[in-house]
Amino acid sequence: MPRLSEVIAALDALWPPERAEGWDAVGTVCGDPDAEIHRVLFAVDPVQDIVDEALKLGADLIVTHHPLYLRGTTTVAAGHFKGRVVHTLIKHDIALHVAHTNADTADPGVSDALAGALDLRVVRPLVPDASDPSGRRGLGRICELDPPMTLQEFAARAAARLPATSQGIRVAGDLEATVRTVAVSGGSGDSLFDAVRASGADAFLTADLRHHPVSEATQHSPLGLVDAAHWATEWPWCEQAAAQLDEISDRHGWDLRVHVSKTVTDPWSAHHTSPSIDGAPN
């Protein structure tokens, strides 16, 4: 069985920590470098439900996309929910490793997994990484949809293919417009509107779209917008990443047991449709 340090070295080769944004907090949060690793659990969020799932599985390592302490902390006291996560991990000898923006821009990265879940053909990065001479790394992806379909049909595909959440899928734009080229970006994407418009994409699928950026985007161009839950757009990466580690394990003869959490950690728990959207409230 490999030691944690060997597994982390393999993960860092997939998603080099130096490629993370300067504000990000990636890498190993806790864990003994000399500990043997038998089972690995991939998940989006490092929350207590995922830690409890790791305990039941007997996992020695959790790999999450989102950081536990993105903005730092002065305490890991168990009286706080994040401190309780740390205490549980250390008490049960479970390591935690984070790959966030370094996984977003990787090749393959988070948006490749999202495109794959939607059966889209990736053409190029939406925002290329200037340090990659191959032109394959970068934020988001420009994809082709074959055969073309309407925006309504594409949104329905997203609803059917992505993990179900209370939010579901929101759409802005002409529902009957033809979609041939799609920009995708896992996670929050409304800072990318300029790049999406410059790409010539017919539609943009991402998450966390806010009122003002969307209102301005719909006035600016006929770009169709498809807004999914943040967790749902990033969960496909867990399956992609697990497959990558499986391949590394087979190549090295590690015999790791690699799992993907299906626990829904999207924070929204319910959605109620308004009775009518035909006019303003009385």
Side-chain angles (χ1 to χ4, degrees):
M1 287 295 166
R3 301 195 179 277
L4 175 62
S5 58
E6 295 175 285
V7 178
I8 296 304
L11 298 181
D12 283 348
L14 293 174
W15 317 298
E18 62 270 18
R19 291 185 187 150
E21 296 290 338
W23 51 263
D24 206 358
V26 303
T28 306
V29 178
C30 63
D32 180 352
D34 292 326
E36 287 190 349
I37 302 299
H38 301 261
R39 290 183 184 272
V40 183
L41 178 64
F42 282 85
V44 175
D45 298 299
V47 294
Q48 191 66 43
D49 284 350
I50 297 301
V51 176
D52 292 343
E53 182 178 351
L55 279 171
K56 292 177 182 177
L57 276 174
D60 314 289
L61 169 63
I62 302 172
V63 180
T64 64
H65 183 51
H66 289 153
L68 179 62
Y69 287 107
L70 182 58
R71 293 175 178 82
T73 186
T74 59
T75 177
V76 293
H80 187 270
F81 70 92
K82 291 189 177 185
R84 188 164 65 253
V85 165
V86 173
H87 275 254
T88 306
L89 291 170
I90 293 175
K91 182 178 180 180
H92 295 279
D93 295 319
I94 302 172
L96 173 62
H97 186 79
V98 174
H100 192 210
T101 53
N102 49 329
D104 285 334
T105 58
D107 173 32
V110 170
S111 293
D112 291 294
L114 175 57
L118 298 170
D119 199 23
L120 300 172
R121 184 174 71 84
V122 173
V123 177
R124 63 184 187 277
L126 172 61
V127 182
D129 182 343
S131 69
D132 177 22
S134 72
R136 296 178 61 87
R137 292 199 310 266
L139 190 62
R141 295 294 185 266
I142 299 298
C143 310
E144 290 187 351
L145 183 59
D146 188 22
M149 57 180 60
T150 66
L151 179 62
Q152 178 82 300
E153 290 169 333
F154 177 65
R157 174 183 288 195
R161 300 284 184 87
L162 294 180
T165 62
S166 296
Q167 171 184 314
I169 300 293
R170 300 189 298 176
V171 188
D174 179 359
L175 297 180
E176 296 306 313
T178 300
V179 176
R180 295 181 176 84
T181 306
V182 181
V184 300
S185 182
S188 303
D190 61 19
S191 65
L192 300 172
F193 279 140
D194 287 344
V196 173
R197 283 192 289 265
S199 75
D202 301 310
F204 180 34
L205 186 146
T206 188
D208 296 341
L209 292 182
R210 297 168 295 162
H211 174 87
H212 291 297
V214 169
S215 178
E216 293 175 4
T218 57
Q219 298 300 308
H220 194 285
S221 75
L223 175 69
L225 301 176
V226 182
D227 182 39
H230 190 122
W231 173 84
T233 65
E234 294 181 331
W235 184 85
W237 172 80
C238 295
E239 290 194 320
Q240 175 181 276
Q244 289 176 281
L245 183 56
D246 260 333
E247 189 277 329
I248 293 169
S249 173
D250 290 345
R251 186 169 5 114
H252 290 285
W254 286 348
D255 196 29
L256 286 176
R257 298 292 182 264
V258 182
H259 305 263
V260 175
S261 174
K262 291 182 171 56
T263 300
V264 178
T265 55
D266 182 76
W268 299 103
S269 56
H271 173 83
H272 295 277
T273 301
S274 300
S276 174
I277 58 173
D278 293 333
N282 293 328

